[in-house]
Amino acid sequence: MDEVKIGVFICNCGDTISKSVDLLDIRARLEKLADVALVSIGHDLCSPQAQQAIRKDIIDNGINRVVIAACSPQLYGDALANLVEKAGLNRHLLSVANIREQCSWVHPDKDKATKKAMVQIRMAVDKVRLQDVVEQAEVEVYKDVLVIGGGIVGMEVAIELSNLNLRTTLIEKEANLGGRLKQFAALYPLQVTPEEMLTSRLKQVTGSENIDALTSAGLKDLSGEVGNFTAKIRKGNEEISRNFGAIILATGYETLFLDKVYGFELGDNIITQSQLEGMLKSPGEIKKIPQSVGFVFDICDEHSRISTPSTLRNALVIKERFGSEVYVLCRNLQVDGAGLEKLYQDVRNKGVIFFKFERFPKVLRENGKINIQVEDLSMAREQVMLSCDLLVVEEKVVPHQDFATLESMLNIGLGPRDFYQEDNVHLYPTSSTKSGIFFAGNCHQDLDLGRALTDASNAASEAYQLISSGKMRVEVERVVVDPDKCALCLTCLRFCPHDAIRIDYEKKTAHILDLACQGCGICAAVCPAKAIKFKDWSDDQILAELEVV
Amino acid sequence: MTTGVEFLPCIVAFCCVHSAYQAADAAGRMRIPYPENIIMVHIPCAGRVDTLHILRAFENGADGVVILACHEGACHHILGNIRAKERVERANALLREIGVDGRRVEMRTCAPNDGSRFARVCHELEEKIKELGPSPLRKHA
């Protein structure tokens, strides 16, 4: 390898850095460091003129490693890497010392700030000295998406993708598309009926050339990684094998009645929300119109985005359709979706009476009637006795029973409540832990219908961004395994959170899938033989950085 | 402690790029000062930190080491922070074995937008290490 020549470019950031850091002193000290061939102080390195000057400096002085001491790499890290690339160097041969956000802006004392900036730049120099080249490559990916779950969210995802000109295969285990939407009696606060929404979406799905909807179908097996998944789909007795670039899960949720929580059993006049929805959907099932109906919720989940709106919705439907007395009993009513506050107002204006309780009300069955004894907090804690013909109770929203099978088949994670676990709830809310697999709708979060549809669009656009060009840029061998050191202990395989490690039994070594790797470095830290090298954060580099201590 | 010269502890903070590193940037944007003798090592995930790195920091003379990771359940790499915690415990046990106070190495969490928490954690760490005094492993102690 050639002689290492490090160029250090320091930005004064319109005097905000030089105000509290003595850059001239730093330059003098840096010039004495080994391998540092050039130290230059510039104005606003983010400007095109300054970048051109840096490029010229790199080329003219034969610099082959670059350190830039400026603002946070979170801001211009990519732009600076592009700059280094344009100067003919590999984009990884750059280290950024964050002397603005993490130094000059927080340490007003000039001596101390200068000392810290020197430490930071020295660490960057020590790190970049040992940096290996990591090439980038373009890989062809399939421009097909597999959507699992043909409910309203799955259909929405497929429609969005087909509008973006991506071919989609939509698989649904039931005989018909539509999922839970088919059971809903109304969609307040949305101004459409479930039938209208379903018909319009079905028309779009069946009318689109890009969507292949397979009903009574399920995923049997999946192999490969992002950009090149191979799925075996079972439809009846047939088995179809197809390739996909990305997968979106829209498997929805299930509901469960918890008799232990309530302390009573269901019966003719105590029914669940889903049973009520079934009744409202097929009016023939209603033998006698109930004169008074009670709803109880907020028991299983504190403030569920699914059960609160559905209670309000069904209370309004009953009030409008039958004119019955309606009581809603809950611990604390919270609504946080678009239009839900108005829906709540509408429900109250129609004459539905709300009771908020602290202790769960007593429910007594008597002569075909349900008597509910509740302590009313708004009326000086008086015991109120309500008599209802029908009591509707909330169910717990639980993950679908297929989740566990899909989890192991797709190698993705389940969160604490056994719903799918997002990669990061805040930063990557629709991404799974495995690259190329996304979530939409209620399979990963508690969402009302409006939010679930937004979530569907988000997931669709994430998948679009990933594979729409038919190509993906990938870092080649950013993390490498030394086959001589690898003892096939499988530790890395077990620890990798992104399922990016495979074992090559012929070569007797683990190897890392460049496409699936997301660069956390956990494998490099856990490898007992230290056989894994993460080129951007190798052990040598981190230890070299620690030399400043 | 009362030797006339004020003891300035040297603390190494491994900062996860998904949380603490961004929190430090946030602290910078909000101009919240924190002790400058904290050496921040930029890492891709707390899970990248090996027991070796922690021990080397002490060997080189650090008075305290902290891993600043994402809150539990919010790790971009799912269990990176949990892995880091295990390694902190391991380093802790090893340090105790050679007679160094295990409290010198710690794991803390913070959110990427929480600059004030980052600064507060830094102050707390400095206070703690000041109480513990210089590390017995300091080369020039």
Side-chain angles (χ1 to χ4, degrees):
Chain A
M1 196 169 172
D2 298 346
E3 183 200 357
V4 173
K5 283 176 111 179
I6 302 172
V8 184
F9 298 91
I10 308 173
C11 177
N12 70 3
C13 194
D15 214 28
T16 52
I17 292 176
S18 41
K19 201 162 66 188
S20 51
V21 178
D22 187 348
L23 296 181
L24 295 174
D25 178 41
I26 283 189
R27 180 162 72 183
R29 284 203 270 165
L30 281 173
E31 276 165 350
K32 290 181 202 139
L33 288 184
D35 302 332
V36 174
L38 173 80
V39 184
S40 120
I41 301 172
H43 294 283
D44 301 333
L45 297 192
C46 47
S47 70
Q49 297 88 331
Q51 299 215 346
Q52 219 155 16
I54 293 178
R55 210 161 89 193
K56 195 166 170 294
D57 276 345
I58 293 176
I59 296 166
D60 290 354
N61 295 289
I63 302 289
N64 54 17
R65 296 277 196 288
V66 180
V67 169
I68 291 179
C71 56
S72 171
Q74 298 283 326
L75 292 172
Y76 290 108
D78 272 344
L80 295 175
N82 291 342
L83 165 71
V84 171
E85 209 167 33
K86 273 188 207 143
L89 295 178
N90 185 272
R91 60 192 286 124
H92 287 257
L93 297 177
L94 160 79
S95 185
V96 182
N98 185 348
I99 59 165
R100 192 179 74 170
E101 277 87 346
Q102 297 184 5
C103 184
S104 75
W105 277 2
V106 282
H107 306 309
D109 185 303
K110 198 156 186 173
D111 283 348
K112 287 175 176 173
T114 307
K115 208 174 135 202
K116 178 168 175 181
M118 186 59 206
V119 166
Q120 287 177 304
I121 300 172
R122 238 195 82 187
M123 282 168 78
V125 169
D126 289 342
K127 185 172 181 232
V128 83
R129 186 181 289 130
L130 298 168
Q131 177 70 44
D132 278 344
V133 168
V134 182
E135 297 294 348
Q136 284 195 328
E138 265 188 354
V139 194
E140 298 258 327
V141 297
Y142 285 98
K143 285 173 74 175
D144 294 72
V145 184
L146 172 66
V147 181
I148 303 176
I152 183 67
V153 172
M155 286 158 77
E156 186 77 11
V157 172
I159 293 165
E160 292 268 350
L161 289 171
S162 80
N163 291 343
L164 294 166
N165 239 344
L166 287 185
R167 288 181 301 272
T168 309
T169 303
L170 178 67
I171 58 173
E172 163 62 43
K173 64 175 177 168
E174 309 268 328
N176 293 307
L177 294 175
R180 270 181 182 273
L181 193 70
K182 287 181 289 196
Q183 300 160 10
F184 285 3
L187 296 180
Y188 307 124
L190 303 183
Q191 296 299 323
V192 285
T193 66
E195 290 77 19
E196 282 166 8
M197 184 181 256
L198 198 57
T199 339
S200 81
R201 295 301 199 281
L202 273 174
K203 215 165 112 190
Q204 282 173 280
V205 168
T206 45
S208 167
E209 281 179 4
N210 286 330
I211 304 176
D212 183 12
L214 304 171
T215 50
S216 311
L219 185 67
K220 207 178 154 220
D221 190 34
L222 185 88
S223 55
E225 70 258 5
V226 55
N228 188 7
F229 290 111
T230 306
K232 287 205 177 81
I233 299 161
R234 177 192 41 75
K235 180 173 163 55
N237 295 326
E238 260 182 283
E239 203 178 278
I240 310 161
S241 182
R242 274 185 201 174
N243 293 318
F244 298 101
I247 296 174
I248 298 178
L249 292 176
T251 40
Y253 62 97
E254 279 190 330
T255 51
L256 194 69
F257 174 68
L258 302 175
D259 47 0
K260 284 223 176 69
V261 175
Y262 283 99
F264 51 77
E265 281 168 19
L266 296 175
D268 276 349
N269 42 18
I270 301 186
I271 59 170
T272 62
Q273 283 284 356
S274 6
Q275 283 173 317
L276 175 74
E277 272 161 356
M279 276 167 64
L280 294 173
K281 206 69 188 171
S282 44
E285 269 187 42
I286 305 172
K287 289 157 211 146
K288 191 172 144 241
I289 287 171
Q291 292 306 306
S292 49
V293 182
F295 285 90
V296 181
F297 76 102
D298 201 12
I299 305 297
C300 307
D301 292 302
E302 194 192 336
H303 171 221
S304 156
R305 286 203 177 118
I306 295 169
S307 59
T308 311
S310 69
T311 305
L312 294 176
R313 218 157 48 205
N314 292 333
L316 189 58
V317 172
I318 289 183
K319 194 83 194 167
E320 282 178 343
R321 216 183 274 180
F322 308 127
S324 328
E325 275 297 323
V326 181
Y327 310 110
V328 176
L329 295 91
C330 58
R331 211 177 288 271
N332 191 11
L333 195 125
Q334 295 175 6
V335 286
D336 71 339
L340 286 181
E341 191 66 44
K342 185 174 176 298
L343 173 64
Y344 171 58
Q345 284 301 334
D346 288 350
V347 173
R348 290 194 70 145
N349 292 343
K350 288 268 173 187
V352 172
I353 302 166
F354 286 81
F355 290 94
K356 290 184 182 173
F357 56 80
E358 272 171 5
R359 247 171 297 151
F360 189 68
K362 278 196 193 112
V363 175
L364 308 158
R365 287 186 160 104
E366 225 170 84
N367 307 331
K369 284 240 174 199
I370 307 288
N371 288 328
I372 309 166
Q373 193 186 348
V374 60
E375 193 184 63
D376 186 6
L377 297 180
S378 59
M379 285 177 60
R381 295 189 175 266
E382 266 199 42
Q383 294 290 336
V384 179
M385 200 66 153
L386 304 169
S387 176
C388 300
D389 293 332
L390 190 65
L391 177 65
V392 185
V393 292
E394 173 203 11
E395 295 151 291
K396 189 166 174 64
V397 174
V398 291
H400 212 284
Q401 54 181 355
D402 296 348
F403 278 23
T405 359
L406 279 173
E407 179 212 5
S408 55
M409 205 188 296
L410 305 179
N411 230 327
I412 49 176
L414 294 185
R417 284 168 63 218
D418 279 350
F419 284 88
Y420 293 128
Q421 174 66 52
E422 302 92 347
D423 198 345
N424 181 303
V425 195
H426 305 292
L427 300 171
Y428 313 98
T430 55
S431 305
S432 78
T433 52
K434 190 165 162 172
S435 179
I437 299 182
F438 302 94
F439 305 130
N442 282 297
C443 62
H444 70 116
Q445 263 182 9
D446 189 14
L447 303 166
D448 57 55
L449 183 59
R451 277 200 180 84
L453 293 177
T454 316
D455 201 52
S457 311
N458 288 346
S461 74
E462 291 278 341
Y464 177 78
Q465 273 184 30
L466 190 72
I467 59 165
S468 59
S469 64
K471 282 178 189 140
M472 264 174 74
R473 264 173 98 78
V474 55
E475 314 267 351
V476 182
E477 297 188 337
R478 188 177 178 205
V479 185
V480 285
V481 185
D482 182 348
D484 295 337
K485 285 185 186 164
C486 179
L488 285 184
C489 67
L490 311 186
T491 309
C492 52
L493 186 85
R494 288 185 290 119
F495 276 74
C496 177
H498 305 293
D499 188 29
I501 298 182
R502 296 285 180 275
I503 303 294
D504 188 336
Y505 287 101
E506 271 174 29
K507 289 186 191 152
K508 294 204 167 50
T509 177
H511 70 103
I512 284 128
L513 302 172
D514 293 330
L515 271 170
C517 176
Q518 299 191 20
C520 60
I522 291 179
C523 54
V526 294
C527 179
K530 295 267 163 258
I532 303 179
K533 183 175 186 185
F534 184 3
K535 287 180 183 168
D536 287 340
W537 270 282
S538 68
D539 279 329
D540 290 345
Q541 283 176 303
I542 295 177
L543 295 179
E545 282 187 271
L546 289 172
E547 288 301 314
V548 296
V549 173
Chain B
M1 294 295 284
T2 49
T3 46
V5 187
E6 200 198 347
F7 164 53
L8 261 185
C10 167
I11 301 168
V12 173
F14 291 98
C15 296
C16 160
V17 71
H18 295 288
S19 55
Y21 195 84
Q22 294 189 32
D25 283 355
R29 286 193 297 273
M30 293 188 278
R31 312 290 197 275
I32 306 173
Y34 51 85
E36 68 289 331
N37 42 342
I38 291 186
I39 296 172
M40 290 160 63
V41 185
H42 182 182
I43 44 165
C45 170
R48 176 67 192 95
V49 182
D50 195 347
T51 318
L52 170 76
H53 306 147
I54 301 174
L55 297 180
R56 179 63 64 88
F58 281 109
E59 211 181 318
N60 290 353
D63 299 304
V65 172
V66 62
I67 298 187
L68 284 165
C70 307
H71 289 307
E72 262 179 47
C75 175
H76 174 40
H77 304 289
I78 323 303
L79 293 173
N81 44 7
I82 313 276
R83 305 286 180 227
K85 208 167 146 190
E86 292 162 9
R87 279 165 222 151
V88 165
E89 276 159 21
R90 171 105 182 98
N92 197 311
L94 289 170
L95 287 174
R96 274 172 208 275
E97 222 174 290
I98 57 165
V100 177
D101 196 323
R103 282 176 293 173
R104 289 186 187 277
V105 48
E106 201 183 342
M107 163 105 185
R108 297 293 287 264
T109 59
C110 86
N113 55 356
D114 205 345
S116 54
R117 184 187 161 92
F118 177 84
R120 200 167 63 239
V121 165
C122 289
H123 281 293
E124 283 169 17
L125 290 167
E126 199 199 25
E127 280 304 304
K128 190 186 78 174
I129 301 296
K130 267 189 178 165
E131 241 166 65
L132 291 171
S135 158
L137 300 176
R138 252 190 189 218
K139 282 172 196 159
H140 40 270

